[in-house]
């Protein structure tokens, strides 16, 4: 059953709305933000925004839908584990693998594989996404840290929110950046015109990405990317915003290369033909271990499909 709550802000309470609801109802900040995005929280009778503050005398109405039962089956799937200890593991996800079950992807995910290889992870951090602290898109390869205990999950989630987990990527983007490095600081939210996409939206969640040219190709750049935040599709959206979408990105860069004509058109067409997915790889991960505090550093070279394309570009 859906639960409905009416909360009155007391004297002395003045804070961000999402924090207020989280503390009053004992819900995670992530769950509260989802309720806000779905329009299930109202402030003084009107739809509320996450960034708003509550003041004494305000009335907050919250609608919390019933949690649906989750039944995820362990599956014996290939899984590259680059590090494992009693608290966590770091995996190198292959392109094409979805991180957790969702509509259209009920099985064959990273979570299904984790439950087979690490059965004790079931329920850690929630039943729907056991162990998952951060995600990669289906067609993005590379490094992910996974929590094996609730305490580790909380610690790593807090570290990500505090931007203490450092995540670096390699991306190939069409065209050439006008300057390097360049930092994009632009908020991201669901595209109001297409709910399947993300976009730069005023009032969206803060998002910051740093791009630096690693190699300059004929009509593209190989970029080293540093995430300051970790929003959905952040790198892809910010590169589209710059006018240099990720090569092979069917959502944010489809058809962009058609504008690259002239004597280099044959090179552009051949590179497009060779790309079977977006050129985006999580190449480095840095964080301090929640138990002993030592810095953990992991690196993953470009996988075979992307390294072969890079080799072809360099040979031209």
């Amino acid at each position: 059953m859906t639960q409905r709550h009416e909360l009155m802000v007391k004297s002395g309470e003045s804070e961000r709305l999402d924090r207020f609801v989280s503390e009053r109802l004992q819900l995670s900040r992530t769950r509260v933000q989802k309720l806000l995005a779905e329009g299930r929280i109202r402030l003084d009778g009107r739809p509320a925004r996450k960034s708003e503050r509550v003041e004494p005398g305000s009335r907050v109405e919250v609608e919390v839908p019933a949690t649906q039962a989750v039944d995820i089956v362990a599956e014996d799937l290939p899984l590259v584990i680059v590090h494992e200890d009693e608290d966590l593991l770091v995996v190198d996800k292959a392109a094409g693998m979805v991180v957790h079950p969702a509509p259209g992807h009920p099985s064959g995910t990273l979570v299904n594989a984790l439950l087979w290889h690490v059965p004790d992870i079931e329920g850690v951090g929630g039943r729907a996404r056991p162990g998952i602290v951060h995600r990669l898109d289906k067609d993005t390869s590379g490094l992910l840290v996974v929590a094996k205990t609730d305490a580790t999950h909380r610690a790593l989630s807090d570290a990500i929110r505090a931007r203490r987990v450092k995540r670096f990527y390699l991306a190939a983007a069409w065209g050439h950046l006008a300057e390097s490095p360049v930092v994009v600081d632009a908020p991201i939210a669901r595209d109001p015109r297409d709910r399947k996409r993300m976009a730069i939206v005023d009032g969206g969640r803060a998002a910051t990405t740093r791009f630096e040219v690693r190699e300059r190709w004929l009509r593209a750049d190989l970029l080293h990317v540093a995430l300051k935040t970790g929003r959905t599709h952040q790198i892809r959206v910010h590169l589209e915003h710059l006018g240099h979408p990720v090569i092979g990105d069917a959502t944010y860069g489809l058809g962009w290369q058609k504008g690259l004509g002239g004597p280099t058109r044959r090179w552009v067409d051949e590179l497009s033909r060779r790309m079977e997915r977006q050129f985006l790889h999580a190449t480095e991960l840095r964080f301090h271990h929640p138990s002993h505090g030592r810095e953990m550093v992991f690196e993953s070279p470009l996988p075979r499909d992307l390294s072969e394309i890079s080799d072809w570009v360099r040979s031209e």
Side-chain angles (χ1 to χ4, degrees):
M1 296 289 292
T2 297
Q3 296 181 338
R4 291 176 172 81
H5 305 268
E6 183 173 310
L7 311 174
M8 297 303 297
V9 183
K10 302 174 184 177
S11 176
E13 291 182 316
S14 177
E15 57 185 324
R16 277 176 54 122
L17 174 64
D18 55 349
R19 185 178 296 112
F20 171 79
V21 174
S22 176
E23 293 175 354
R24 278 288 196 98
L25 298 183
Q26 294 299 294
L27 298 173
S28 71
R29 293 281 289 279
T30 300
R31 184 83 189 280
V32 172
Q33 288 163 5
K34 187 172 187 294
L35 295 176
L36 281 162
E38 294 172 350
R40 297 181 183 273
I41 300 179
R42 301 177 71 84
L43 178 61
D44 293 328
R46 58 176 174 75
R49 299 188 304 274
K50 177 186 65 176
S51 58
E52 288 190 274
R53 297 182 66 85
V54 297
E55 301 294 342
S58 294
R59 186 179 81 257
V60 180
E61 299 167 86
V62 185
E63 181 182 274
V64 183
T67 302
Q68 297 181 345
V70 177
D71 186 15
I72 305 175
V73 178
E75 297 180 57
D76 187 6
L77 303 171
L79 186 63
V80 178
I81 299 175
V82 299
H83 171 83
E84 182 174 5
D85 57 43
E86 61 183 9
D87 299 305
L88 56 86
L89 63 158
V90 176
V91 300
D92 199 340
K93 186 186 85 67
M97 176 177 268
V98 175
V99 169
H100 56 76
H105 298 283
S107 60
T109 72
L110 177 64
V111 163
N112 295 105
L114 287 168
L115 288 172
W116 180 275
H117 291 276
V118 193
D120 291 344
I121 210 169
E122 184 175 8
V124 171
R127 294 185 62 194
R129 305 172 184 179
I132 300 302
V133 179
H134 61 112
R135 293 173 290 173
L136 294 176
D137 298 336
K138 175 186 175 183
D139 290 327
T140 299
S141 52
L143 298 170
L144 280 166
V145 60
V146 179
K148 294 174 68 175
T149 69
D150 282 319
T152 301
H153 191 277
R154 287 192 297 270
L156 288 173
S157 297
D158 289 345
I160 287 176
R161 280 193 291 269
R163 304 183 185 183
R164 295 194 302 269
V165 176
K166 307 301 181 184
R167 290 169 284 174
F168 304 95
Y169 293 71
L170 287 174
W174 288 116
H176 299 305
L177 295 187
E179 56 181 304
S180 175
V182 60
V183 175
V184 178
D185 187 358
I188 292 176
R190 288 284 171 191
D191 189 332
R193 296 167 298 180
D194 183 352
R195 302 297 292 175
K196 295 181 181 180
R197 289 168 46 99
M198 308 300 288
I200 306 300
V201 178
D202 288 340
R205 302 182 70 186
T208 307
T209 318
R210 182 182 187 273
F211 300 99
E212 184 173 6
V213 176
R214 179 65 58 85
E215 295 180 18
R216 181 145 289 192
W217 297 347
L218 186 60
R219 297 302 301 274
D221 284 338
L222 179 64
L223 305 172
H224 182 263
V225 184
L227 281 184
K228 304 297 183 182
T229 54
R231 309 307 179 203
T232 301
H233 299 176
Q234 177 173 320
I235 294 171
R236 299 160 64 193
V237 171
H238 277 177
L239 280 173
E240 181 196 40
H241 177 66
L242 286 176
H244 300 284
V246 174
I247 296 174
D249 189 337
T251 301
Y252 300 99
L254 190 62
W256 193 90
Q257 69 275 18
K258 293 179 181 178
L260 298 174
T264 59
R265 184 54 194 250
R266 186 168 61 179
W267 182 91
V268 170
D269 289 342
E270 178 61 18
L271 179 56
S272 300
R273 186 189 69 79
R274 289 171 177 265
M275 285 300 310
E276 296 183 354
R277 54 108 167 182
Q278 60 199 26
F279 197 120
L280 187 57
H281 178 68
T283 188
E284 185 177 348
L285 184 63
R286 294 172 175 260
F287 59 91
H288 286 86
H289 198 286
S291 291
H292 51 65
R294 291 193 294 273
E295 186 179 32
M296 310 290 286
V297 180
F298 302 96
E299 295 182 354
S300 170
L302 285 176
R304 184 172 182 176
D305 61 337
L306 300 186
S307 65
E308 288 180 347
I309 288 171
S310 301
D311 291 342
W312 172 80
V313 168
R314 296 174 188 127
S315 68
E316 286 295 296

